[in-house]
Amino acid sequence: MSGRDDQADTGMRPIGDVIDGLGITATVDEGELVAGAIVLIKVIDNDGDTRLSLASSDGLSWVERAGMLRVAERIASDPETGGDDT
């Protein structure tokens, strides 16, 4: 598995349909505003090689991205939530 892809120039496209197809959901209540997102995806290419690709929404600073990744790591490793968003 290779490291971070950082949105390589080849094959860049919107991935909303891919995320939807994977059945990923999140808790967002009426009236709440989603202000940013970080997406980490595992990609298997035609040769069977695996890589990770990380993307974030426009407007997130490096501090916000780093903070969101750290919080995601803590949520995912919390045995109480089992990795579910809270």
Side-chain angles (χ1 to χ4, degrees), residues 3-66:
R4 198 167 141 213
D5 182 18
D6 250 352
Q7 301 175 354
D9 291 333
T10 60
M12 283 187 55
R13 65 182 176 101
I15 60 166
D17 57 334
V18 174
I19 299 293
D20 291 343
L22 292 171
I24 297 171
T25 61
T27 303
V28 181
D29 293 330
E30 182 146 350
E32 293 181 327
L33 173 66
V34 176
I38 295 177
V39 179
L40 177 64
I41 60 173
K42 176 182 172 183
V43 179
I44 302 171
D45 68 18
N46 293 334
D47 296 329
D49 295 330
T50 303
R51 66 179 167 82
L52 295 178
S53 182
L54 178 67
S56 60
S57 54
D58 290 338
L60 287 179
S61 70
W62 72 268
V63 172
E64 290 170 309
R65 289 190 308 266

